[in-house]
Amino acid sequence: MRVQYAPVSAQVLTNPCWCSGSTTPFGGVWRGSNPRRGAFPLKVSQARVCPVLGRKFVSTPSLVLVLAAGEGTRMRSKLPKVLHPILGRPILGHVINAAWQLEPNKILVVTGSGREQVETWLSENQPAVLKVEQTPRNGTGHAVRIALASQSAKSDSDHVMVLYGDTPLLTGAALRVLWQAHIDSNAAATILTAKVADAFGYGRIIRDKSSAVVGIVEEKDATDEQKANTEINSGIYVFNRKLLEEALSKITTNNAQGEEYLTDVIKILHEAGKSVIGVAVADQSEILGINDRKQLAACTEILRDRINEVWMREGVTIVDPATTWIESDVVIARDVVIEPSTYLQGKTAIGEDAHIGPDVTLIDCTVDEGATITRTYANDAHIGVRAQVGPFSYLRPGSELHKSAKVGAYVEVKNAIIGAGSKVPHLSYVGDATIGEGSNIGAATIFVNYDGVKKHHTVVGAAVRIGSDTMLVAPVNVGDGAYTAAGSVITEDVPAGSMAVGRAKQRNILGWVRMKRAGSTSDIAATKANEKTETEKQ
Ligand code: UD1
Ligand code: CA
């Protein structure tokens, strides 16, 4: 039986960690030797104190809007921008996960471009999230206006948090700081800002002589002097809802892009005498927005480093963090060693003391304690306690290696159980099979599972010795303790304890080389050998 482990990410979703300080922003913290067995992220009650502000919070936002309707033209892609994956999760998924960490009453995503794809992803992966369509799309201000007017946003919320769906590195901790600053200051708008080395493409925060925020100017509308300002708008805000709605009714499309800019409400609020606060983000990488593939790669690298750092802190050795790519939902127990060029993807879980790499890709795999995997590609496989895989092995879906089993060089396994202590050391294909305990499958054995129409199953018992280059033509059973002779084609069941020989009997045609290849190097060598034998006989 395949061992099933509880999906950690689903628990994070339904029971979101309240503050991301001491747990991973992308997965969960586990206790125990195999992370998916009984794995739970930090309990909400344990995480109630924000590590950034060091105090307890009581209020949470009623409504978070996530804008994800834009075209993402600069990505030049058929896939909607917000669905481009970063380490196993779409850009939008990362943003939503950060938002859940505030425990809002509602998250409402504005969809538009690629709406069907985005909404399908949301329904399948974030069923608690509400959706509203923006059509036509006319800018971030328009998106917020449509969202607030929708049935889904109807509530008595005093404040609304707005996020852009293209800022995947945002953490719940930063959002919490922003939220708290807004509540404490009672401002009309609170903006998360950052001073960055390269502000190109971002809206610039405009401050007056007393440093009060008076507006935001977009790159395309900015003067050279404004462009020189490196304090940028992250696109992450909290607004007083009533004041926001009033300001939104006043914005125009009188700008370089002919769109309703959400950023214009800042100037409108300031001119109406309302207070606007800028809160500087502690870690600038949090607010990076993705508009093109270069930024996608840059954000992926930052997230890779963050994830690696968390696992290293949790007791995992990562020999070369620059070439180790661990996706968001992967869980790893302590004292695991990960060698260079390793990719851990999907719902992979690695047990204590396992040694992974170099050059290993594991997708949706479960690896138990003390297993060793070298230069291997495995998808949906279960590698048991102290099992050994590689180098150069390929494990396809349904591969299950029991305790101390071994799969060696140039071996492909699919939908097969390899019993405890059994070995398939070299150059074999094991498809649709059950192998019992303590059996040895000789080099170059093929489980012939496909008759051209259907796949068939092979059963090999315990303590069996399959000779090298055996073809096991399925369906066929090899009984416990049986042997097959090397080079056999096995088409009939082999009773327990017997030796199956399924090959032509050898015959030697004496003098064939002399007759057919006289004078060849073979003939010369053979003649010498025969002469030597004759001399020895005398
Ligand atoms: C925006 C901000 C800019 C800020 C930057 C931060 C505006 C006008 N500009 O610029 O000040 O520095 O983000 O990353 O807000 N969207 C909709 N509907 C629309 C248009 C956009 O939902 O009609 C969504 C997009 O899907 C995206 C987000 O809003 O997730 C931001 O839009 P984008 O076009 O990327 O804005 P930027 O030019 O990056
Ligand atoms: Ca953007």
Side-chain angles (χ1 to χ4, degrees):
M1 277 299 289
R2 227 178 136 65
V3 181
Q4 295 289 335
Y5 296 120
V8 169
S9 57
Q11 291 163 8
V12 171
L13 203 73
T14 51
N15 187 16
C17 181
W18 182 84
C19 202
S20 69
S22 55
T23 185
T24 76
F26 43 81
V29 176
W30 76 96
R31 296 287 174 255
S33 59
N34 190 305
R36 283 221 200 274
R37 269 186 221 139
F40 288 96
L42 219 58
K43 282 207 185 93
V44 170
S45 57
Q46 288 174 282
R48 273 276 170 196
V49 176
C50 176
V52 180
L53 294 181
R55 58 184 158 117
K56 255 187 150 186
F57 297 100
V58 275
S59 74
T60 58
S62 312
L63 179 62
V64 177
L65 299 183
V66 181
L67 308 193
E71 267 189 57
T73 328
R74 290 163 276 181
M75 291 297 279
R76 295 177 165 270
S77 176
K78 342 184 244 311
L79 188 68
K81 172 171 81 175
V82 294
L83 290 189
H84 277 260
I86 296 192
L87 289 170
R89 189 178 286 162
I91 296 171
L92 178 62
H94 287 285
V95 177
I96 291 172
N97 267 24
W100 277 129
Q101 291 182 16
L102 273 84
E103 296 182 32
N105 288 351
K106 279 184 198 171
I107 296 179
L108 178 56
V109 175
V110 182
T111 63
S113 185
R115 185 174 72 93
E116 247 176 54
Q117 281 167 280
V118 175
E119 294 199 353
T120 303
W121 184 85
L122 285 170
S123 303
E124 287 171 2
N125 298 280
Q126 293 280 357
V129 161
L130 302 168
K131 301 156 233 162
V132 60
E133 186 185 358
Q134 182 198 10
T135 177
R137 291 181 304 282
N138 200 22
T140 48
H142 179 246
V144 172
R145 204 152 56 75
I146 297 270
L148 290 177
S150 75
Q151 201 59 30
S152 305
K154 274 218 157 54
S155 77
D156 51 2
S157 67
D158 292 337
H159 306 280
V160 53
M161 179 175 272
V162 177
L163 311 176
Y164 292 168
D166 63 356
T167 52
L169 300 181
L170 196 59
T171 64
L175 291 180
R176 175 59 57 184
V177 171
L178 179 75
W179 173 257
Q180 200 60 35
H182 180 81
I183 297 301
D184 289 350
S185 65
N186 201 24
T190 307
I191 311 168
L192 198 64
T193 74
K195 285 220 174 201
V196 293
D198 180 11
F200 179 78
Y202 288 97
R204 308 299 206 279
I205 302 290
I206 310 297
R207 292 180 185 265
D208 66 11
K209 289 199 183 78
S210 66
S211 285
V213 177
V214 299
I216 297 173
V217 177
E218 291 304 298
E219 171 85 29
K220 287 185 179 147
D221 302 288
T223 62
D224 285 346
E225 194 191 334
Q226 286 167 334
K227 280 182 192 162
N229 171 9
T230 57
E231 189 183 11
I232 62 146
N233 167 32
S234 67
I236 298 152
Y237 330 73
V238 187
F239 295 99
N240 175 303
R241 178 169 177 165
K242 189 164 160 288
L243 296 175
L244 172 63
E245 280 171 329
E246 280 169 25
L248 281 171
S249 69
K250 294 180 189 147
I251 56 174
T252 67
T253 55
N254 190 15
N255 52 54
Q257 298 181 79
E259 289 182 353
E260 292 182 34
Y261 291 166
L262 176 61
T263 45
D264 282 355
V265 303
I266 301 303
K267 189 168 175 230
I268 294 169
L269 289 169
H270 173 74
E271 285 176 354
K274 311 294 178 197
S275 72
V276 178
I277 310 258
V279 174
V281 70
D283 172 1
Q284 286 172 17
S285 74
E286 292 216 16
I287 52 95
L288 291 176
I290 294 182
N291 298 312
D292 59 32
R293 309 251 186 177
K294 190 163 175 255
Q295 289 166 324
L296 179 70
C299 284
T300 306
E301 196 179 327
I302 293 169
L303 189 63
R304 176 202 65 198
D305 289 347
R306 272 194 204 170
I307 292 175
N308 287 344
E309 199 184 319
V310 170
W311 291 122
M312 287 189 279
R313 265 194 261 115
E314 292 291 339
V316 175
T317 294
I318 298 181
V319 175
D320 183 15
T323 63
T324 302
W325 301 80
I326 302 171
E327 289 192 349
S328 313
D329 290 335
V330 170
V331 280
I332 312 173
R334 66 183 178 176
D335 289 322
V336 166
V337 176
I338 301 176
E339 301 276 4
S341 288
T342 292
Y343 303 78
L344 303 180
Q345 303 179 347
K347 299 262 185 269
T348 292
I350 314 281
E352 208 164 290
D353 297 323
H355 197 111
I356 315 291
D359 297 334
V360 166
T361 299
L362 302 179
I363 305 161
D364 296 328
C365 287
T366 301
V367 178
D368 290 342
E369 296 83 58
T372 305
I373 308 172
T374 312
R375 294 189 208 281
T376 287
Y377 184 97
N379 184 1
D380 192 16
H382 176 198
I383 296 148
V385 175
R386 288 189 297 284
Q388 288 177 52
V389 183
F392 313 114
S393 307
Y394 178 26
L395 304 183
R396 292 167 53 200
S399 299
E400 180 147 352
L401 277 62
H402 289 182
K403 191 175 164 187
S404 302
K406 181 183 172 174
V407 165
Y410 308 105
V411 172
E412 176 177 335
V413 180
K414 183 215 73 170
N415 186 33
I417 293 171
I418 299 177
S422 286
K423 295 187 169 76
V424 190
H426 334 271
L427 298 152
S428 293
Y429 172 61
V430 183
D432 300 306
T434 307
I435 301 173
E437 292 185 6
S439 289
N440 190 80
I441 310 298
T445 292
I446 305 294
F447 285 65
V448 184
N449 62 331
Y450 187 44
D451 63 11
V453 181
K454 277 193 190 148
K455 302 280 166 68
H456 302 277
H457 199 84
T458 296
V459 178
V460 171
V464 166
R465 299 283 174 268
I466 299 290
S468 292
D469 200 25
T470 296
M471 301 290 126
L472 294 163
V473 182
V476 73
N477 295 315
V478 180
D480 290 349
Y483 277 59
T484 67
S488 288
V489 179
I490 304 297
T491 53
E492 285 167 25
D493 288 356
V494 182
S498 21
M499 158 68 87
V501 185
R503 63 185 186 206
K505 195 168 165 38
Q506 181 178 334
R507 65 190 175 108
N508 297 333
I509 305 172
L510 297 179
W512 185 92
V513 170
R514 169 48 53 90
M515 287 187 286
K516 302 284 188 186
R517 301 285 186 271
S520 67
T521 49
S522 304
D523 185 30
I524 294 163
T527 305
K528 256 191 206 160
N530 289 336
E531 282 170 5
K532 200 168 162 228
T533 317
E534 282 304 315
T535 322
E536 278 163 8
K537 272 191 198 158
Q538 285 160 16

